[in-house]
Amino acid sequence: MFPMNTPPPPVGVPPAAVPAIPNFQCPARPNHGSEGRHILLRANHFQVRMPKGVIHHYDISISPDKCPRRVNREIIETMVLSYSQKIFAGQKPVFDGRKNLYSRDPLPIGREKVELEVTLPGEGKDRVFKVAIKWVAQVSLFALEEALEGRTHQIPFEAIQALDVVMRHLPSMTYTPVGRSFFSPPVDYDHPLGGGREVWFGFHQSVRPSQWKMMLNIDVSATAFYKSQPVIEFMCEVLDIQNIQEQRRPLTDSQRVKFTKEIKGLKVEITHCGTMKRKYRVCNVTRRPAQTQSFPLQLESGQTVECTVAKYFLERYKMKLQFPHLPCLQVGQEQKHTYLPLEVCNIVGGQRCIKKLTDMQTSTMIKATARSAPDREREINNLVHKADFNNDPFLQTFGVSVSQVMVECQGRILTAPKILYGGRTKAQAVPNQGVWDMRGKQFYSGIEIRVWAIACFAPQRTVREDALRNFTQQLQRISNDAGMPVTGQPCFCKYATGPDQVEPMFRYLKNTFQGLQLIVVVLPGKTPVYAEVKRVGDILCGLATQCVQAKNVNRTSPQTLSNLCLKINVKLGGINNILLPSVRPHLFHEPVIFLGADITHPPAGDRYRPSIAAIVGSMDAHPSRYSAQVRVQQHRQEIIQDLSTMVKELLIQFYKSTRFKPTRIIFYRDGVSEGQFAQVLTSELRAVREACMKLEVGYQPGITFIVVQKRHHTRLFCADRKDQIGRSGNIPAGTTVDAGITHPTEFDFFLCSHAGIQGTSRPSHYHVLWDDNRFNADELQMLTYQLCHTYVRCTRSVSIPAPAYYAHLVAFRARYHLVEKDHDSDPATCSSYTGEGSHHSGGNGEEGHNTTALTRAVTVHPDTCKVMYFA
């Protein structure tokens, strides 16, 4: 606890109670920044000219409901045509595919609910729907204009939503919508990803308010879709079968499991009924082949007999199956027992792949989609040209038009901070384009490594002893130069195989060698050993571990070894470098703690595994050392549930490390989308205040709460070619924009703090949700930029502030801590404690026990807690 020698609480604050917090409102922008050299930029935002007056909003309900949006759109389109004389005379209403319809003029139906009947011609038989329309409200565009011009603080969400629906109505009819993007099947290009997947290109479109005007944000995007192809070919791609004719035996269990995992949930269409290509969703793959898989067949006489799928197809469709030894797809509802042979099914086109891509697919995807900044700018301009917004009849009806040119905006290039090293020379590094190097410099505080071990999990034929010896010598040379002397030979150097040997070996090492500081673990590529090394090292034994790939041991490079040293030094409690104290903002004159927070969710399609919340807090004034807190929480929960306790722990540790209580808390929160701002702010700001009050009555440090967003579609381009940097032609590191494309009244800015190497740089977006510390724009932008230079794993400025990055690393490491020993090493694909594995929790009774087991599994050993084990 904090010592109690503090002044009494300010008058009017009830002791020990959390101050009553009104409904939080984001602070207004204090001013615009002025630091840094000016640069003229273009952003992929296009000005939207809006009509005056009102738009009429109607509620739609369609029965039978549960139709996909695509069908709903067809129903409404047919309705508008069918009732064009009676109701929609000359009107072109727009529809969002669910419940909302907007028209420019009021429809002649008054305020009462009206029911209309709509018939869609179907395959085989027509389908009849009932559509109920009811007036909801008038949406005022004047209120939006007031907000854009800064005369009112609240932006009218319903006006923006209406405008968004107007803008999306036509593309939603012509393309395949995915989230806020639109895609169309590949024409003139082909980018297979393997495993039955391919790349589709498309574009992102969203309406955004900015100062004085509405903007349309347009960006190129790409995503993975399943190829439209016969299921047999899909299976061959998934299972790496080169020639289906050679597959004359049934699938093995492991093949079937792999195939099931990929095809489950996908839509297929049948090919054996002529033009009637009925579609089904796959719910499973049968264990038995088509020649023995049977189902209850009802005969004309009314009696039921068991019949095999192969026999049924022969008798009913006169089809002798080519592949009777392959399994069937079970489609529709599980209990209905509908089976289809693979050979009569095709994968339906236009299905987006939400499952995680493999490493190989991800790398292919990046290669296919990376575009230099000038290329991307050209592609976006072509898109806007092709979209031809101003000839869109729906936009014309509503009186909306879109500018054809990107908006120009003023940016500023902030000055990078100098970086201070230690040793005898106390050398300073000056970042150039976001990069500096360590040659001729020594760590600010380097650790001397006396007792260390090597465990090689790569086989001896791959990594020979002389390679290990050479690696050790080279590592010692580089580490000595860096001021982290590794003295003498390792106290232990042995080969090992498989994850089972990790725990006994580490326990032996810990008990045998007093003061063991580090275990260097050599790994043979991607392996389950990694997760086990981290579980045993971080959680069970409290030993520092550094993994290194076999290929980097066999072929050492100064760059790789130097990067290893950066990580090893901080894992042992050293400090690599610090910001030059004289360049830091005034804020550092008093004790301040920097917190970074992030939540990682399990991959799409996973319904059980927990989300992981992580927070790190700075533990010195540089700030360079950080301590971590991590928790498992409810699946896909977006708010950090145990935040108050986590922050309290970090504040206590800060006090133990520095003997100061922070007078300010700067909280960088990653992983929050705009729709969650209010919810996250209300709950998490309250939790941070509560943590302070729990420590000491009246302890109220100023809190600044900043959301960091990387998942957005704003891109910035140099207006002048002379400003472009490097081969990718990106904007310079340090480019900041806080006008023109930012929020009309709130405190937000874009900052591209890193040098773009490949593709187009994505500037990070910062939005201040709360600020007791009354930062002005320059102070906060500069502070944020400087913190991007304090990330220990490389000598470059990174794209988000170090504390936010560390929180991400901590959460990611906790995923590995949850991996079961006997599984795959990738935390995204393996079953963890709550995956589909044997530990799957049953009823509610097990939930509590389960959470306890999970919490134990991510709780870091007290010795590990003191250092940056996650680096």
Side-chain angles (χ1 to χ4, degrees), residues 594-853:
F594 296 96
L595 301 178
D598 192 12
I599 298 184
T600 69
H601 300 295
D606 181 305
R607 294 203 300 280
Y608 306 110
R609 266 185 277 179
S611 291
I612 295 172
I615 305 191
V616 299
S618 57
M619 291 291 135
D620 55 28
H622 300 309
S624 68
R625 287 180 40 243
Y626 284 79
S627 187
Q629 290 282 314
V630 61
R631 301 284 188 278
V632 288
Q633 60 180 40
Q634 200 185 327
H635 174 81
R636 298 216 169 273
Q637 165 73 21
E638 296 288 355
I639 283 171
I640 301 176
Q641 280 167 328
D642 201 16
L643 184 66
S644 177
T645 321
M646 295 163 88
V647 170
K648 190 178 99 187
E649 288 299 321
L650 290 171
L651 288 170
I652 292 170
Q653 287 185 29
F654 182 92
Y655 184 76
K656 285 181 181 164
S657 300
T658 63
R659 283 288 166 241
F660 285 106
K661 296 172 222 170
T663 54
R664 297 196 167 96
I665 296 176
I666 316 295
F667 191 106
Y668 285 96
R669 172 71 155 89
D670 201 351
V672 182
S673 60
E674 281 167 285
Q676 297 159 341
F677 281 1
Q679 195 190 357
V680 166
L681 178 62
T682 307
S683 148
E684 297 189 1
L685 179 57
R686 217 174 242 135
V688 175
R689 288 203 173 163
E690 198 177 282
C692 299
M693 302 298 275
K694 276 187 198 155
L695 285 172
E696 184 174 278
V697 178
Y699 172 55
Q700 291 187 305
I703 299 167
T704 300
F705 194 110
I706 308 149
V707 167
V708 187
Q709 291 170 303
K710 282 199 70 179
R711 305 190 65 167
H712 59 77
H713 276 277
T714 296
R715 299 291 181 272
L716 299 168
F717 306 98
C718 299
D720 185 342
R721 283 189 52 183
K722 290 200 289 291
D723 289 321
Q724 293 176 359
I725 301 293
R727 281 202 303 219
S728 57
N730 273 301
I731 54 179
T735 303
T736 308
V737 174
D738 65 1
I741 55 170
T742 46
H743 194 282
T745 56
E746 292 173 8
F747 189 2
D748 71 328
F749 57 94
F750 289 96
L751 165 63
C752 182
S753 49
H754 63 294
I757 306 169
Q758 184 181 14
T760 304
S761 295
R762 179 186 306 214
S764 294
H765 180 241
Y766 298 87
H767 203 122
V768 182
L769 300 193
W770 191 259
D771 184 24
D772 292 325
N773 296 309
R774 306 251 167 89
F775 278 104
N776 68 32
D778 280 329
E779 287 167 341
L780 190 61
Q781 289 163 14
M782 207 58 179
L783 170 69
T784 302
Y785 187 40
Q786 293 197 354
L787 288 173
C788 295
H789 288 78
T790 62
Y791 182 65
V792 293
R793 287 166 66 156
C794 53
T795 56
R796 33 186 341 126
S797 171
V798 290
S799 60
I800 55 175
Y805 213 139
Y806 294 150
H808 172 76
L809 294 182
V810 169
F812 195 70
R813 172 66 58 84
R815 275 266 170 249
Y816 279 109
H817 291 153
L818 288 177
V819 171
E820 283 175 9
K821 295 201 283 273
D822 52 337
H823 284 289
D824 184 349
S825 62
D826 181 355
T829 55
C830 65
S831 75
S832 68
Y833 279 88
T834 51
E836 312 80 322
S838 52
H839 298 265
H840 178 46
S841 64
N844 293 340
E846 281 188 40
E847 282 299 310
H849 145 79
N850 204 23
T851 313
T852 325

Side-chain angles (χ1 to χ4, degrees), residues 40 61 67 113 185 187 193 295 310 364 417 431 555 566 578 613 697 704 724 779 823 866:
L40 187 61
S61 56
C67 285
K113 183 192 275 193
V187 183
L193 289 170
F295 64 100
T364 311
R555 298 240 309 269
L566 294 176
I578 63 169
V697 178
T704 300
Q724 293 176 359
E779 287 167 341
H823 284 289
K866 301 190 184 87

Side-chain angles (χ1 to χ4, degrees), residues 254-281:
S254 68
Q255 281 179 315
R256 196 192 70 250
V257 167
K258 188 173 179 186
F259 175 48
T260 307
K261 207 168 161 186
E262 288 303 322
I263 200 164
K264 205 171 174 171
L266 292 190
K267 280 197 280 202
V268 295
E269 57 186 16
I270 55 173
T271 59
H272 62 288
C273 292
T275 53
M276 206 193 64
K277 296 198 185 286
R278 203 167 154 197
K279 296 185 173 77
Y280 295 93
R281 201 174 283 285

